[in-house]
Coordinates of all heavy atoms in Angstrom, one line a residue:
M1 N 0.8 -1.2 0.0 CA 0.0 0.0 0.0 C 0.9 1.2 0.0 O 1.9 1.3 0.7 CB -0.9 0.0 1.2 CG -1.9 1.2 1.3 SD -3.0 1.1 2.7 CE -1.9 1.7 4.0
T2 N 0.5 2.2 -0.8 CA 1.2 3.5 -0.9 C 0.4 4.5 -0.2 O -0.8 4.6 -0.4 CB 1.4 3.9 -2.3 OG1 2.1 2.9 -3.1 CG2 2.3 5.2 -2.4
V3 N 1.1 5.3 0.7 CA 0.4 6.4 1.4 C 0.8 7.7 0.8 O 2.0 8.1 0.9 CB 0.6 6.3 2.9 CG1 -0.1 7.5 3.6 CG2 0.1 5.0 3.5
Y4 N -0.1 8.5 0.2 CA 0.3 9.8 -0.4 C 0.1 10.9 0.6 O 0.9 11.9 0.6 CB -0.6 10.1 -1.6 CG -0.3 9.1 -2.7 CD1 -1.1 7.9 -2.8 CD2 0.7 9.3 -3.6 CE1 -0.9 7.0 -3.8 CE2 0.9 8.4 -4.7 CZ 0.1 7.2 -4.7 OH 0.3 6.3 -5.7
A5 N -0.9 10.8 1.5 CA -1.1 11.8 2.5 C -1.9 11.1 3.6 O -2.7 10.2 3.4 CB -2.0 12.9 1.9
T6 N -1.5 11.6 4.8 CA -2.2 11.0 6.0 C -2.1 12.0 7.1 O -1.1 12.8 7.2 CB -1.5 9.7 6.5 OG1 -2.1 9.3 7.7 CG2 0.0 9.8 6.6
P7 N -3.1 12.1 8.0 CA -3.0 13.1 9.1 C -1.8 12.9 10.0 O -1.4 13.9 10.6 CB -4.3 12.8 9.9 CG -5.2 12.2 8.8 CD -4.4 11.4 7.9
D8 N -1.2 11.8 10.0 CA 0.0 11.6 10.8 C 1.3 12.2 10.2 O 2.3 12.3 10.8 CB 0.3 10.1 10.9 CG -0.8 9.4 11.7 OD1 -1.5 10.0 12.4 OD2 -1.0 8.2 11.4
R9 N 1.1 12.7 8.9 CA 2.3 13.2 8.2 C 1.9 14.6 7.7 O 0.9 14.8 7.0 CB 2.6 12.3 7.1 CG 4.0 12.6 6.5 CD 4.1 11.9 5.1 NE 4.0 10.5 5.2 CZ 3.8 9.7 4.1 NH1 3.7 10.2 2.9 NH2 3.7 8.4 4.2
N10 N 2.7 15.6 8.0 CA 2.5 17.0 7.4 C 1.1 17.6 7.8 O 0.6 18.4 7.0 CB 2.7 17.0 5.9 CG 4.1 16.6 5.5 OD1 5.0 16.7 6.3 ND2 4.2 16.2 4.3
A11 N 0.5 17.1 8.8 CA -0.8 17.7 9.3 C -1.9 17.7 8.2 O -2.7 18.6 8.1 CB -0.6 19.1 9.8
A12 N -1.9 16.6 7.4 CA -2.8 16.6 6.3 C -4.3 16.4 6.9 O -4.4 15.7 7.9 CB -2.5 15.4 5.4
D13 N -5.2 17.0 6.2 CA -6.6 16.8 6.5 C -7.3 15.6 5.8 O -8.5 15.4 5.9 CB -7.4 18.1 6.3 CG -7.1 19.2 7.3 OD1 -6.9 18.8 8.4 OD2 -7.0 20.3 6.8
V14 N -6.5 15.0 4.9 CA -7.0 13.9 4.1 C -6.1 12.7 4.3 O -4.9 12.8 4.7 CB -7.1 14.3 2.6 CG1 -8.1 15.4 2.4 CG2 -5.7 14.7 2.1
R15 N -6.6 11.5 3.9 CA -5.8 10.3 3.9 C -6.0 9.7 2.5 O -7.1 9.3 2.1 CB -6.3 9.4 5.0 CG -5.5 8.0 5.0 CD -5.8 7.3 6.3 NE -5.5 5.8 6.2 CZ -4.2 5.4 6.3 NH1 -3.2 6.2 6.5 NH2 -4.0 4.1 6.2
V16 N -4.9 9.8 1.8 CA -5.0 9.3 0.4 C -4.0 8.1 0.2 O -2.8 8.2 0.5 CB -4.6 10.4 -0.6 CG1 -4.6 9.9 -2.0 CG2 -5.5 11.6 -0.4
I17 N -4.5 7.0 -0.2 CA -3.7 5.8 -0.4 C -3.9 5.1 -1.7 O -4.9 5.4 -2.4 CB -4.0 4.8 0.8 CG1 -5.5 4.3 0.6 CG2 -3.8 5.4 2.1 CD1 -5.8 3.1 1.5
R18 N -3.0 4.3 -2.1 CA -3.3 3.3 -3.2 C -3.2 1.9 -2.6 O -2.1 1.5 -2.0 CB -2.2 3.5 -4.3 CG -2.5 2.6 -5.5 CD -1.4 2.6 -6.5 NE -1.2 3.8 -7.1 CZ -1.9 4.3 -8.2 NH1 -2.9 3.6 -8.6 NH2 -1.6 5.4 -8.7
A19 N -4.3 1.2 -2.6 CA -4.3 -0.1 -2.1 C -4.9 -1.1 -3.2 O -5.9 -0.8 -3.8 CB -5.2 -0.2 -0.9
A20 N -4.2 -2.1 -3.5 CA -4.6 -3.1 -4.5 C -4.8 -2.4 -5.8 O -5.7 -2.7 -6.6 CB -5.8 -3.8 -4.1
G21 N -4.0 -1.3 -6.1 CA -4.1 -0.6 -7.4 C -5.1 0.5 -7.4 O -5.1 1.3 -8.4
D22 N -5.9 0.6 -6.4 CA -7.0 1.6 -6.4 C -6.5 2.8 -5.6 O -6.1 2.7 -4.4 CB -8.3 1.1 -5.8 CG -8.9 0.0 -6.6 OD1 -8.7 0.0 -7.9 OD2 -9.5 -0.9 -6.1
L23 N -6.7 4.0 -6.2 CA -6.4 5.3 -5.5 C -7.7 5.6 -4.7 O -8.8 5.7 -5.3 CB -6.2 6.4 -6.5 CG -4.7 6.7 -6.9 CD1 -4.8 7.8 -7.9 CD2 -3.9 7.2 -5.7
V24 N -7.5 5.9 -3.4 CA -8.7 6.2 -2.6 C -8.4 7.3 -1.6 O -7.3 7.4 -1.0 CB -9.1 4.9 -1.7 CG1 -10.3 5.2 -0.9 CG2 -9.3 3.7 -2.7
C25 N -9.4 8.2 -1.5 CA -9.4 9.2 -0.4 C -10.2 8.6 0.7 O -11.4 8.4 0.6 CB -10.0 10.5 -0.9 SG -10.0 11.8 0.3
V26 N -9.5 8.2 1.8 CA -10.2 7.4 2.8 C -11.0 8.3 3.8 O -10.6 9.3 4.2 CB -9.1 6.6 3.6 CG1 -9.8 5.8 4.7 CG2 -8.3 5.8 2.7
R27 N -12.2 7.8 4.0 CA -13.2 8.5 4.9 C -13.2 10.0 4.6 O -13.1 10.9 5.4 CB -12.7 8.3 6.4 CG -12.8 6.9 6.8 CD -12.1 6.7 8.2 NE -13.0 7.2 9.3 CZ -14.0 6.6 9.9 NH1 -14.3 5.4 9.5 NH2 -14.7 7.2 10.8
C28 N -13.5 10.2 3.3 CA -13.5 11.5 2.7 C -14.7 12.4 3.2 O -15.8 12.0 3.1 CB -13.6 11.4 1.2 SG -13.6 13.0 0.4
R29 N -14.4 13.6 3.8 CA -15.5 14.4 4.3 C -16.3 15.0 3.2 O -17.4 15.4 3.4 CB -15.0 15.4 5.3 CG -14.3 16.6 4.7 CD -13.9 17.5 5.8 NE -13.3 18.8 5.4 CZ -14.0 19.9 5.3 NH1 -15.2 20.0 5.6 NH2 -13.3 21.0 4.9
L30 N -15.7 15.2 2.0 CA -16.4 15.8 0.9 C -17.5 14.8 0.4 O -18.6 15.2 0.0 CB -15.5 16.0 -0.3 CG -14.4 17.1 -0.1 CD1 -13.6 17.3 -1.3 CD2 -15.0 18.4 0.4
K31 N -17.2 13.5 0.5 CA -18.1 12.5 0.1 C -19.2 12.1 1.1 O -20.2 11.6 0.8 CB -17.3 11.3 -0.4 CG -18.2 10.2 -1.1 CD -17.3 9.5 -2.1 CE -17.9 8.2 -2.6 NZ -19.3 8.3 -3.0
S32 N -18.8 12.4 2.4 CA -19.6 11.9 3.5 C -20.9 12.7 3.8 O -21.9 12.2 4.2 CB -18.8 11.8 4.7 OG -17.6 11.1 4.5
G33 N -20.8 14.1 3.5 CA -21.9 14.9 3.9 C -22.2 14.8 5.4 O -21.3 14.9 6.2
D34 N -23.4 14.6 5.7 CA -23.8 14.6 7.1 C -23.8 13.1 7.6 O -24.0 12.9 8.8 CB -25.2 15.1 7.3 CG -25.2 16.6 7.0 OD1 -24.2 17.3 7.2 OD2 -26.3 17.1 6.6
G35 N -23.6 12.2 6.7 CA -23.7 10.8 7.1 C -22.3 10.2 7.6 O -21.4 11.0 7.9
D36 N -22.2 8.9 7.5 CA -21.0 8.3 7.9 C -19.9 8.6 6.9 O -20.2 8.7 5.7 CB -21.2 6.8 8.0 CG -22.1 6.4 9.2 OD1 -22.2 7.2 10.1 OD2 -22.8 5.4 9.1
P37 N -18.7 8.7 7.4 CA -17.6 8.9 6.4 C -17.5 7.8 5.4 O -17.7 6.6 5.7 CB -16.3 8.8 7.3 CG -16.8 9.2 8.7 CD -18.2 8.6 8.8
A38 N -17.3 8.2 4.1 CA -17.2 7.2 3.1 C -16.0 7.4 2.3 O -15.4 8.5 2.3 CB -18.5 7.4 2.1
D39 N -15.5 6.4 1.7 CA -14.3 6.5 0.9 C -14.6 7.1 -0.5 O -15.7 6.8 -1.1 CB -13.6 5.1 0.7 CG -13.1 4.6 2.0 OD1 -13.0 5.3 3.0 OD2 -12.8 3.4 2.0
F40 N -13.6 7.8 -1.1 CA -13.8 8.3 -2.4 C -12.8 7.6 -3.3 O -11.6 7.8 -3.2 CB -13.5 9.8 -2.5 CG -13.4 10.3 -4.0 CD1 -14.5 10.6 -4.7 CD2 -12.2 10.5 -4.5 CE1 -14.4 11.0 -6.0 CE2 -12.0 10.9 -5.8 CZ -13.2 11.2 -6.6
P41 N -13.2 6.7 -4.2 CA -12.3 6.0 -5.1 C -12.1 6.8 -6.3 O -13.1 7.1 -7.0 CB -13.0 4.7 -5.3 CG -14.4 4.9 -5.1 CD -14.6 6.2 -4.3
A42 N -10.9 7.2 -6.7 CA -10.6 8.0 -7.9 C -10.4 7.1 -9.1 O -9.7 6.1 -9.0 CB -9.4 8.9 -7.6
D43 N -11.0 7.5 -10.2 CA -10.8 6.8 -11.4 C -9.5 7.3 -12.1 O -9.6 8.0 -13.1 CB -12.0 7.0 -12.3 CG -11.9 6.2 -13.6 OD1 -11.1 5.2 -13.6 OD2 -12.7 6.5 -14.5
G44 N -8.4 7.0 -11.5 CA -7.1 7.4 -12.1 C -6.5 8.6 -11.4 O -7.2 9.3 -10.6
I45 N -5.2 8.9 -11.7 CA -4.5 10.0 -11.0 C -5.1 11.4 -11.3 O -5.3 12.2 -10.4 CB -3.0 9.9 -11.4 CG1 -2.4 8.7 -10.8 CG2 -2.3 11.2 -11.0 CD1 -0.9 8.4 -11.2
P46 N -5.5 11.7 -12.6 CA -6.1 13.0 -12.8 C -7.3 13.2 -12.0 O -7.5 14.3 -11.5 CB -6.4 13.0 -14.3 CG -5.4 12.1 -14.9 CD -5.3 11.0 -13.9
A47 N -8.1 12.2 -11.8 CA -9.3 12.4 -11.0 C -9.0 12.6 -9.6 O -9.7 13.4 -8.9 CB -10.2 11.1 -11.2
M48 N -8.0 12.0 -9.1 CA -7.6 12.2 -7.7 C -7.0 13.6 -7.5 O -7.2 14.3 -6.5 CB -6.6 11.2 -7.2 CG -6.2 11.3 -5.7 SD -7.6 11.3 -4.6 CE -7.8 9.6 -4.3
L49 N -6.2 14.1 -8.5 CA -5.7 15.4 -8.4 C -6.8 16.5 -8.4 O -6.8 17.4 -7.6 CB -4.7 15.7 -9.6 CG -3.4 15.0 -9.6 CD1 -2.7 15.1 -10.9 CD2 -2.5 15.5 -8.5
D50 N -7.8 16.3 -9.2 CA -9.0 17.2 -9.2 C -9.6 17.1 -7.8 O -10.0 18.2 -7.3 CB -10.0 16.7 -10.2 CG -9.6 17.2 -11.6 OD1 -8.6 18.0 -11.8 OD2 -10.2 16.7 -12.6
H51 N -9.8 15.9 -7.3 CA -10.4 15.7 -6.0 C -9.6 16.5 -4.9 O -10.2 17.1 -4.0 CB -10.5 14.2 -5.7 CG -11.2 13.9 -4.4 ND1 -12.6 14.0 -4.2 CD2 -10.7 13.6 -3.2 CE1 -12.9 13.7 -3.0 NE2 -11.7 13.4 -2.3
L52 N -8.3 16.3 -4.9 CA -7.5 17.0 -3.9 C -7.5 18.5 -4.1 O -7.5 19.3 -3.1 CB -6.1 16.5 -3.9 CG -6.0 15.0 -3.6 CD1 -4.5 14.5 -3.7 CD2 -6.5 14.7 -2.1
D53 N -7.6 19.0 -5.3 CA -7.8 20.4 -5.5 C -9.0 20.9 -4.8 O -9.0 22.0 -4.2 CB -7.9 20.7 -7.0 CG -6.6 20.8 -7.7 OD1 -5.6 20.9 -7.1 OD2 -6.6 20.7 -9.0
F54 N -10.1 20.1 -4.9 CA -11.3 20.5 -4.3 C -11.2 20.6 -2.8 O -11.8 21.4 -2.1 CB -12.5 19.6 -4.7 CG -13.8 20.1 -4.4 CD1 -14.2 21.3 -4.8 CD2 -14.7 19.3 -3.8 CE1 -15.5 21.8 -4.5 CE2 -16.0 19.7 -3.5 CZ -16.4 21.0 -3.8
H55 N -10.5 19.6 -2.2 CA -10.2 19.6 -0.8 C -9.6 21.0 -0.4 O -9.9 21.6 0.6 CB -9.3 18.5 -0.3 CG -10.1 17.2 0.0 ND1 -10.8 17.1 1.2 CD2 -10.2 16.1 -0.6 CE1 -11.3 15.9 1.3 NE2 -11.0 15.2 0.2
T56 N -8.6 21.4 -1.2 CA -7.9 22.6 -0.8 C -8.8 23.8 -0.9 O -8.7 24.8 -0.2 CB -6.6 22.9 -1.7 OG1 -7.0 23.0 -3.0 CG2 -5.6 21.7 -1.5
V57 N -9.7 23.8 -1.9 CA -10.7 24.9 -2.1 C -11.6 25.0 -0.9 O -11.9 26.2 -0.5 CB -11.5 24.6 -3.4 CG1 -12.7 25.6 -3.4 CG2 -10.7 24.8 -4.6
V58 N -11.9 23.9 -0.3 CA -12.8 24.0 0.9 C -12.0 24.2 2.2 O -12.6 24.1 3.3 CB -13.8 22.8 1.0 CG1 -14.6 22.7 -0.2 CG2 -13.0 21.5 1.2
G59 N -10.7 24.4 2.1 CA -9.9 24.7 3.3 C -9.2 23.6 3.9 O -8.5 23.7 4.9
D60 N -9.3 22.4 3.3 CA -8.5 21.3 3.9 C -7.0 21.4 3.5 O -6.7 21.9 2.4 CB -9.0 19.9 3.3 CG -10.3 19.5 3.9 OD1 -10.7 20.1 4.9 OD2 -11.0 18.7 3.3
H61 N -6.1 20.9 4.4 CA -4.7 21.0 4.1 C -4.3 19.7 3.4 O -4.4 18.6 4.0 CB -3.9 21.2 5.3 CG -2.4 21.1 5.1 ND1 -1.8 22.0 4.2 CD2 -1.5 20.2 5.5 CE1 -0.5 21.6 4.1 NE2 -0.3 20.6 4.9
V62 N -3.9 19.8 2.1 CA -3.3 18.7 1.4 C -1.9 19.0 1.2 O -1.5 19.9 0.5 CB -4.1 18.4 0.1 CG1 -3.5 17.2 -0.7 CG2 -5.6 18.3 0.3
P63 N -1.0 18.1 1.7 CA 0.5 18.4 1.6 C 0.9 18.5 0.1 O 0.5 17.7 -0.7 CB 1.1 17.2 2.3 CG 0.1 16.6 3.2 CD -1.2 16.9 2.5
L64 N 1.8 19.4 -0.2 CA 2.3 19.6 -1.5 C 2.9 18.3 -2.0 O 2.8 17.9 -3.2 CB 3.3 20.7 -1.5 CG 3.8 21.2 -2.9 CD1 2.7 21.7 -3.7 CD2 4.9 22.2 -2.7
E65 N 3.5 17.6 -1.0 CA 4.2 16.3 -1.3 C 3.2 15.3 -2.0 O 3.6 14.5 -2.9 CB 4.7 15.8 0.0 CG 5.2 14.4 0.0 CD 5.4 13.9 1.4 OE1 6.0 14.6 2.2 OE2 5.1 12.7 1.7
A66 N 2.0 15.3 -1.6 CA 1.0 14.4 -2.2 C 0.8 14.7 -3.7 O 0.7 13.8 -4.5 CB -0.3 14.5 -1.4
F67 N 0.7 16.0 -4.0 CA 0.5 16.4 -5.4 C 1.7 16.1 -6.2 O 1.6 15.6 -7.3 CB 0.2 18.0 -5.5 CG -1.1 18.4 -5.0 CD1 -1.3 18.9 -3.7 CD2 -2.2 18.2 -5.8 CE1 -2.6 19.3 -3.3 CE2 -3.5 18.6 -5.4 CZ -3.7 19.2 -4.1
V68 N 2.9 16.4 -5.7 CA 4.1 16.2 -6.4 C 4.3 14.7 -6.7 O 4.6 14.3 -7.8 CB 5.3 16.7 -5.6 CG1 6.6 16.2 -6.2 CG2 5.3 18.2 -5.5
R69 N 4.0 13.9 -5.7 CA 4.1 12.4 -5.9 C 3.1 11.9 -7.0 O 3.5 11.1 -7.8 CB 3.9 11.7 -4.6 CG 4.4 10.3 -4.6 CD 4.6 9.8 -3.2 NE 4.8 8.4 -3.2 CZ 4.9 7.6 -2.1 NH1 4.8 8.2 -0.9 NH2 5.1 6.3 -2.2
L70 N 1.9 12.3 -6.9 CA 0.9 11.8 -7.8 C 1.3 12.3 -9.2 O 1.2 11.6 -10.2 CB -0.5 12.3 -7.4 CG -1.1 11.6 -6.3 CD1 -2.3 12.4 -5.7 CD2 -1.6 10.2 -6.7
R71 N 1.7 13.6 -9.3 CA 2.0 14.1 -10.7 C 3.2 13.4 -11.3 O 3.3 13.2 -12.5 CB 2.3 15.6 -10.6 CG 1.0 16.4 -10.4 CD 1.3 17.9 -10.5 NE 0.1 18.7 -10.1 CZ -1.0 18.8 -10.9 NH1 -1.1 18.2 -12.1 NH2 -2.0 19.5 -10.5
S72 N 4.2 13.1 -10.4 CA 5.4 12.4 -11.0 C 5.1 11.0 -11.4 O 5.6 10.5 -12.4 CB 6.6 12.5 -10.0 OG 6.3 11.6 -8.9
E73 N 4.2 10.3 -10.6 CA 3.8 9.0 -11.1 C 3.0 9.1 -12.4 O 3.2 8.2 -13.2 CB 2.9 8.4 -10.0 CG 3.7 7.8 -8.8 CD 2.8 7.0 -7.8 OE1 1.7 6.7 -8.2 OE2 3.2 6.8 -6.7
Y74 N 2.2 10.1 -12.5 CA 1.4 10.2 -13.7 C 2.3 10.5 -14.9 O 2.2 10.0 -16.0 CB 0.4 11.4 -13.6 CG -0.6 11.5 -14.7 CD1 -1.4 10.5 -15.0 CD2 -0.6 12.7 -15.5 CE1 -2.4 10.6 -16.0 CE2 -1.6 12.8 -16.5 CZ -2.4 11.7 -16.8 OH -3.3 11.8 -17.8
A75 N 3.4 11.3 -14.7 CA 4.4 11.6 -15.7 C 5.1 10.3 -16.1 O 5.3 10.1 -17.3 CB 5.3 12.7 -15.3
D76 N 5.4 9.5 -15.1 CA 6.1 8.2 -15.4 C 5.2 7.3 -16.3 O 5.7 6.7 -17.2 CB 6.5 7.5 -14.1 CG 7.6 8.2 -13.4 OD1 8.3 9.0 -14.0 OD2 7.8 7.8 -12.2
L77 N 4.0 7.3 -16.0 CA 3.0 6.5 -16.8 C 3.0 6.9 -18.2 O 3.0 6.2 -19.1 CB 1.6 6.5 -16.2 CG 1.4 5.8 -14.9 CD1 -0.1 6.1 -14.4 CD2 1.5 4.3 -15.1
S78 N 3.0 8.3 -18.4 CA 2.9 8.8 -19.7 C 4.2 8.4 -20.5 O 4.1 8.1 -21.7 CB 2.8 10.3 -19.6 OG 1.7 10.7 -18.9
E79 N 5.3 8.5 -19.9 CA 6.6 8.1 -20.6 C 6.6 6.7 -21.0 O 7.2 6.3 -22.0 CB 7.8 8.4 -19.7 CG 8.2 9.9 -19.6 CD 9.3 10.1 -18.6 OE1 10.0 9.2 -18.2 OE2 9.5 11.3 -18.2
D80 N 5.9 5.8 -20.2 CA 5.9 4.4 -20.6 C 4.8 4.2 -21.7 O 4.7 3.0 -22.1 CB 5.5 3.6 -19.3 CG 6.6 3.6 -18.3 OD1 7.8 3.9 -18.7 OD2 6.4 3.3 -17.2
G81 N 4.2 5.2 -22.1 CA 3.2 5.0 -23.2 C 1.9 4.3 -22.7 O 1.1 3.8 -23.5
A82 N 1.7 4.4 -21.4 CA 0.5 3.7 -20.9 C -0.8 4.6 -21.0 O -1.9 4.1 -20.8 CB 0.6 3.4 -19.4
L83 N -0.6 5.9 -21.4 CA -1.7 6.7 -21.6 C -1.8 7.3 -22.9 O -0.9 7.5 -23.6 CB -1.6 7.9 -20.5 CG -1.6 7.4 -19.1 CD1 -1.3 8.6 -18.2 CD2 -3.0 6.9 -18.7
Ligands
ZN117 ZN1 -11.5 13.3 -0.4

């Protein structure tokens, strides 16, 4: 499992992981509304970057490191011709 952001690191307000190949914003408050916390599964790296942008818009702290890591992974995928 890869951890891109977690409250234990850099005071992030989100927990973003890749588990079994799936990118997930864990117990996402944007997705949860007034109900129980729910996970947001992103359909690829661009979708997760958009999602994290939205977290910053509403005032959540998303560490720069998380964006940098996702963007560099996405760039690597592009170089391999996977996209
Ligand atoms: Zn989220």
